[in-house]
Amino acid sequence: MSLKGKHIVLGISGGIAAYKSAYLLRLLIKKGAEVQVVITPNGKEFITPATLAALSGKPVVSEFFAANTGEWHSHVDLGLWADLMIIAPATASTIGKMANGIADNMLITTYLSAKEQVMVAPAMDLDMWAHPSTQRNVATLRADGVIIVEPQSGFLASGLTGKGRMEEPEVIVLAAEKYFADRDRAQDLQGRRVLISAGPTYENIDPVRFIGNYSSGKMGFAIAEACAARGAEVTMVAGPVDKRLTLPEGVRRIDVTSAREMAEVMRLEFADADVAILAAAVADYAPAEYSEHKIKREEKGDMILHLVKNPDIAATLGQCKGNRVLVGFALETDNEASNACRKMERKNLDMIVLNSLRDAGAGMMTDTNKVTIIRRDGSENVYPLKDKRAVADDIIDEFITLLPAESE
Ligand code: CTP
């Protein structure tokens, strides 16, 4: 991932790991970030401002006033400019000052003025890291919303292992990239209307009996929650799902029972949608006749239930989808990928989420899922086992690239 155009304040305090900050700075610049270095007076004992200024292409800020001109360095402006402040290395002393607002140098005043995210890579002696005072201060920073890049392990004087060594610059850069990726996708479905089908359908035989399946609705609910969290306007058409599922905040829910009802509501709602995700396990067949009274044991000997085919909701929507994006699911037991691809073609889907019943922890009635996502262009991504909420974000990350650019 690129950090192009990102404004990063790199805070350097006085620890031996400061020599690694030059490398960190170089990595950030290589990724396209604009970096302003702020260094503590002690930091300068470990690495020279000249090196850092050369690498960043900007004068390094350390004192409140520039030595030669007396010009005031504005920590407030720096705090506003930064998209991210990374303090690496952060010594025990710097962490303590941050936790308690002791603003006796430019780095801490900049921290106190920072409007966006702050990330800290602690670096200290292992015993200092383990000290309750340090741990208390780190906990305070965490509670204040600071991201802590956990230090690496090493051996304590006692021979036991502990932490304290600053994490490698590559790992700190990855943490920064993850932060921006999470932040940028936070509201990436804003203005999009998402329609989701969830759960099983029940096909009634008589007032007390039905044909159903084991779908809980968890996957559909997780997708609804993830889409709403990312700013979408979400409508969920739910069959008789597990009663314990709670409706995610901001989601409009329409309850249905049978496949026919689901088909009708989905067809109407699809008109206003940008994308439809068909997570429901729709019954393929329904009894040809519904008995208004409870079928009695005495009425029959052996019984033959005549079933008729239900409408294929996915295929129906596929025929009228225009520039809408259609995402289907396939639960397969064998020839998984080729079956899923054929389903995608037949129903005119843009993407299909495949679960194999051969994978433990995948499919119905579990909190987890293991999916392979196949697109119409043939590209295929295999994902590891994850909880359904995380799978939902993966599904969104895939279909979002297929949405047409938003019209004004
Ligand atoms: N689907 C649907 N309407 C149906 C049947 C399925 O909308 N009547 C959707 C499901 O929600 C899912 C996809 O189509 O997104 C594939 O469902 P699946 O049951 O695997 O497909 P079928 O066409 O029923 O194929 P088969 O049962 O033969 O595997």
Side-chain angles (χ1 to χ4, degrees):
M1 189 198 149
S2 145
L3 292 172
K4 195 163 166 35
K6 299 287 194 264
H7 292 173
I8 297 179
V9 167
L10 176 59
I12 301 176
S13 60
I16 187 70
Y19 78 92
K20 288 190 185 172
S21 303
Y23 186 52
L24 173 60
L25 171 55
R26 232 187 91 221
L27 289 178
L28 293 170
I29 299 274
K30 253 169 80 180
K31 292 268 181 184
E34 219 182 297
V35 186
Q36 171 65 58
V37 175
V38 179
I39 193 164
T40 63
N42 271 337
K44 287 191 284 187
E45 305 287 331
F46 291 89
I47 184 162
T48 70
T51 306
L52 299 165
L55 287 172
S56 67
K58 289 183 199 297
V60 168
V61 175
S62 179
E63 318 301 333
F64 290 112
F65 298 95
N68 44 357
T69 61
E71 184 197 349
W72 185 59
H73 287 136
S74 171
H75 52 86
V76 177
D77 288 348
L78 260 184
L80 286 173
W81 175 84
D83 297 312
L84 174 68
M85 180 172 188
I86 304 176
I87 300 166
T91 58
S93 161
T94 289
I95 288 171
K97 287 181 191 176
M98 287 171 72
N100 294 287
I102 300 170
D104 67 349
N105 65 42
M106 192 64 190
L107 191 155
I108 306 292
T109 50
T110 305
Y111 164 64
L112 293 177
S113 307
K115 290 279 171 283
E116 298 285 340
Q117 184 64 51
V118 178
M119 183 177 280
V120 155
M124 64 197 74
D125 175 84
L126 309 184
D127 295 289
M128 286 172 80
W129 172 255
H131 197 281
S133 140
T134 308
Q135 288 304 309
R136 208 165 47 233
N137 289 330
V138 169
T140 302
L141 291 189
R142 265 210 188 89
D144 291 343
V146 172
I147 297 173
I148 310 290
V149 181
E150 285 283 321
Q152 306 182 71
S153 303
F155 288 102
L156 290 159
S158 59
L160 296 171
T161 55
K163 285 181 175 177
R165 214 147 51 80
M166 187 172 89
E167 190 45 280
E168 296 306 326
E170 288 85 353
V171 178
I172 299 172
V173 170
L174 279 178
E177 287 175 323
K178 181 177 179 322
Y179 162 69
F180 282 117
D182 288 350
R183 189 197 71 170
D184 291 348
R185 79 175 188 186
Q187 291 294 304
D188 56 3
L189 285 176
Q190 186 104 52
R192 304 292 192 168
R193 288 162 302 180
V194 181
L195 175 64
I196 299 163
S197 73
T201 64
Y202 284 0
E203 312 301 324
N204 288 336
I205 299 170
D206 70 15
V208 295
R209 302 183 180 95
F210 62 85
I211 297 173
N213 60 65
Y214 288 120
S215 168
S216 61
K218 273 183 196 152
M219 195 62 242
F221 270 62
I223 296 168
E225 183 182 314
C227 289
R230 288 166 73 162
E233 207 180 292
V234 184
T235 298
M236 181 171 57
V237 180
V241 297
D242 188 327
K243 297 274 181 297
R244 288 165 296 187
L245 289 177
T246 51
L247 185 67
E249 205 173 320
V251 173
R252 175 172 158 247
R253 169 175 178 172
I254 304 173
D255 284 310
V256 296
T257 305
S258 68
R260 282 186 180 281
E261 281 170 26
M262 186 177 272
E264 185 54 25
V265 176
M266 288 294 287
R267 200 175 54 78
L268 291 173
E269 294 293 329
F270 192 52
D272 289 330
D274 298 306
V275 49
I277 303 153
L278 307 172
V282 185
D284 286 323
Y285 292 90
E289 277 170 49
Y290 171 74
S291 166
E292 296 286 346
H293 69 272
K294 185 182 169 201
I295 299 169
K296 291 296 206 193
R297 193 179 167 83
E298 300 89 79
E299 278 174 22
K300 302 210 162 127
D302 288 349
M303 183 175 156
I304 292 173
L305 200 54
H306 183 198
L307 302 176
V308 291
K309 237 184 180 153
N310 272 331
D312 186 331
I313 302 169
T316 311
L317 301 186
Q319 276 166 21
C320 62
K321 79 181 169 88
N323 64 355
R324 298 182 197 83
V325 171
L326 201 54
V327 179
F329 276 73
L331 180 63
E332 305 289 342
T333 53
D334 47 59
N335 297 323
E336 289 90 340
S338 64
N339 277 337
C341 285
R342 250 185 292 127
K343 244 172 227 180
M344 177 160 54
E345 292 287 336
R346 196 172 70 227
K347 302 185 189 221
N348 197 22
L349 308 173
D350 299 288
M351 197 179 110
I352 196 153
V353 182
L354 163 67
N355 346 244
S356 168
L357 269 188
R358 288 194 287 185
D359 287 322
M364 290 176 173
M365 295 199 303
T366 58
D367 290 329
T368 54
N369 208 352
K370 182 175 180 338
V371 303
T372 299
I373 296 180
I374 309 174
R375 297 176 183 218
R376 198 61 175 271
D377 65 11
S379 61
E380 185 179 314
N381 278 322
V382 181
Y383 290 86
L385 186 73
K386 298 184 179 190
D387 73 52
K388 285 186 171 170
R389 183 60 173 74
V391 173
D393 272 318
D394 290 339
I395 293 170
I396 297 172
D397 288 343
E398 293 253 6
F399 78 64
I400 205 164
T401 63
L402 302 174
L403 289 172
E406 257 175 301
S407 52
E408 288 305 310

